[in-house]
């Protein structure tokens, strides 16, 4: 009988940051990339957040499964820091773009057609840039990519994967619904959607081009992107293509990492959950479910972690 391969978990997540030019957009895209490393981590400050990372640790000389995490409207990728670090330690190359024009510190395009156009393109731009960045070229050589998106990041994932969205009248200069011109990225082969903003794909046929496996976690008590938006995706895709789980008692922001004390206050909605819901307790099972889903089509290459 063949011996079972031992799954190696790296001691820490390494990281580096880069700036990606986007001539068609409102400005350059700030991007952070995490990967497995054995170099000890320490707290690193990114605004209010202090994830445990080993910044500038050498990336492994191995091809790693790539995962892009698209944050929500006006957000930051560091609200997904626990998930990102967990994926990196388990052998993934995790790419964390800050959506220029729609992130913390630069939210000038929120609610506009331009933002709906920019976000999917920004995913493709950062994928190109990471692969062209010499320290990461080997790690980023895989042709298949997964995208994880929360809220408007879920819209971003669906649009970049081939969905055909329609902007609402409140998002267009003329005040009428109109198609959003987006281009599919053929590298995207898996989607994980967390409380996705999917209503823009309600038109018949809007998701017909998607053939990727999709995992959705929706929140039962979500008043911003109700579970009906996740159900729309499941109903519009092929039977068995979309796995949907609705988390009892959860709210829209319950999938984010717990916030630091400076932000965990009643007036800051992203830090709040419905009464009685334990956001911290959700993190590990959510991470495990996402890892298991990603490994269906993107197994960690043999020896990737042992060649650190």
């Amino acid at each position: 009988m063949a011996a079972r391969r031992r799954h190696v978990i790296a001691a820490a997540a390494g990281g580096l940051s880069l700036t990606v030019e986007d001539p068609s957009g409102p400005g350059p895209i700030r991007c952070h990339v995490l990967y497995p490393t054995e170099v000890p981590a320490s707290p690193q400050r990114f605004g209010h957040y202090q994830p445990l990372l080993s910044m500038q640790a050498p990336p492994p000389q191995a091809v790693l499964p790539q995962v892009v995490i698209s944050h929500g409207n006006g957000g930051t990728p560091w609200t997904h820091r626990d998930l990102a670090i967990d994926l990196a330690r388990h052998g993934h190359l995790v790419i964390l773009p800050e959506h220029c024009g729609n992130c913390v510190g630069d939210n000038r395009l929120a609610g506009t057609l331009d933002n709906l156009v920019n976000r999917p393109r920004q995913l493709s731009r950062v994928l190109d840039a990471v692969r062209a960045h010499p320290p990461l070229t080997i790690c980023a050589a895989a042709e298949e990519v997964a995208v994880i998106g929360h809220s408007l990041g879920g819209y971003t994932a669906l649009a970049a994967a081939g969905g055909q969205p329609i902007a609402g009248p409140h998002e267009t200069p003329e005040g009428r619904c109109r198609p959003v011109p987006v281009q599919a990225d053929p590298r995207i082969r898996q989607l994980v959607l967390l409380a996705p903003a999917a209503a823009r794909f309600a038109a018949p046929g809007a998701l017909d081009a998607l053939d990727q496996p999709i995992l959705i976690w929706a929140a039962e008590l979500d008043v911003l992107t109700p579970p009906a938006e996740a159900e729309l995706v499941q109903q519009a895709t092929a039977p068995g293509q979309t796995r949907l789980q609705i988390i009892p008692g959860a709210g829209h922001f319950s999938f984010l990492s717990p916030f630091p004390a400076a932000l965990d206050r009643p007036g800051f909605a992203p830090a709040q959950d419905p009464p009685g819901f334990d956001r911290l307790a959700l993190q590990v099972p959510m991470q495990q479910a996402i890892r298991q889903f990603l490994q269906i089509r993107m197994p960690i290459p043999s020896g990737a972690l042992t060649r650190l």
Side-chain angles (χ1 to χ4, degrees):
M1 179 181 296
R4 176 178 294 181
R5 181 187 305 162
R6 186 171 65 92
H7 181 66
V8 180
I9 302 174
L16 56 81
S17 300
L18 59 153
T19 299
V20 177
E21 296 302 322
D22 182 23
S24 301
I29 308 160
R30 185 71 169 165
C31 180
H32 315 279
V33 185
L34 308 186
Y35 41 82
T37 185
E38 295 303 322
V39 178
S42 60
Q44 305 293 320
R45 181 171 290 279
F46 296 91
H48 290 284
Y49 309 96
Q50 295 189 61
L52 289 172
L53 297 171
S54 179
M55 295 302 290
Q56 306 304 322
Q61 296 300 295
V63 178
L64 302 179
Q66 297 174 74
V67 181
V68 185
I69 299 180
S70 178
H71 64 74
N73 183 36
T76 166
W78 298 115
T79 57
H80 301 282
R81 60 196 178 279
D82 293 332
L83 173 61
I85 290 172
D86 179 77
L87 288 171
R89 291 187 60 224
H90 281 83
H92 294 82
L93 186 71
V94 184
I95 302 169
L96 304 171
E98 298 180 11
H99 286 289
C100 185
N102 191 214
C103 63
V104 169
D106 177 14
N107 202 24
R108 59 197 142 128
L109 296 180
T112 67
L113 178 64
D114 283 344
N115 190 47
L116 300 180
V117 174
N118 290 339
R119 273 177 155 262
R121 187 192 63 253
Q122 289 172 349
L123 291 193
S124 295
R125 291 290 300 136
V126 299
L127 284 170
D128 293 340
V130 168
R131 187 166 189 175
H133 190 59
L136 297 169
T137 299
I138 294 177
C139 294
E143 293 297 330
E144 294 192 351
V145 177
V147 178
I148 300 173
H150 172 256
S151 191
L152 197 58
Y155 156 85
T156 307
L158 289 166
Q164 297 297 311
I166 294 179
H170 61 291
E171 297 169 317
T172 64
E174 65 273 21
R176 296 193 301 270
C177 293
R178 58 180 284 192
V180 182
V182 294
Q183 184 172 353
D185 192 320
R187 293 171 290 191
I188 298 174
R189 300 307 307 155
Q190 286 176 294
L191 300 177
V192 177
L193 311 178
L194 306 173
R200 296 174 185 84
F201 302 94
L207 297 176
D208 282 359
L210 270 65
D211 60 0
Q212 300 90 340
I214 303 171
L215 173 67
I216 307 180
W217 276 31
E220 179 191 23
L221 303 182
D222 191 339
V223 297
L224 297 179
T225 57
E229 298 196 33
E231 292 167 349
L232 180 157
V233 177
Q234 186 180 47
Q235 294 163 4
T237 50
Q241 179 181 352
T242 299
R243 305 180 186 181
L244 170 60
Q245 182 167 351
I246 299 176
I247 307 303
H252 183 73
F253 299 105
S254 298
F255 304 113
L256 306 183
S257 297
F259 278 83
L263 295 176
D264 190 4
R265 57 181 185 268
F268 185 61
Q272 307 308 310
D273 296 296
F277 189 82
D278 188 343
R279 181 184 304 197
L280 181 60
L282 180 67
Q283 298 301 304
V284 170
M286 180 180 71
Q287 292 164 12
Q288 292 173 339
I290 291 174
R291 287 201 314 270
Q292 182 179 25
F293 175 75
L294 294 180
Q295 289 172 6
I296 293 174
R297 287 188 58 171
M298 297 172 62
I300 297 172
S302 176
L305 297 182
T306 60
R307 294 195 296 270
L308 295 176

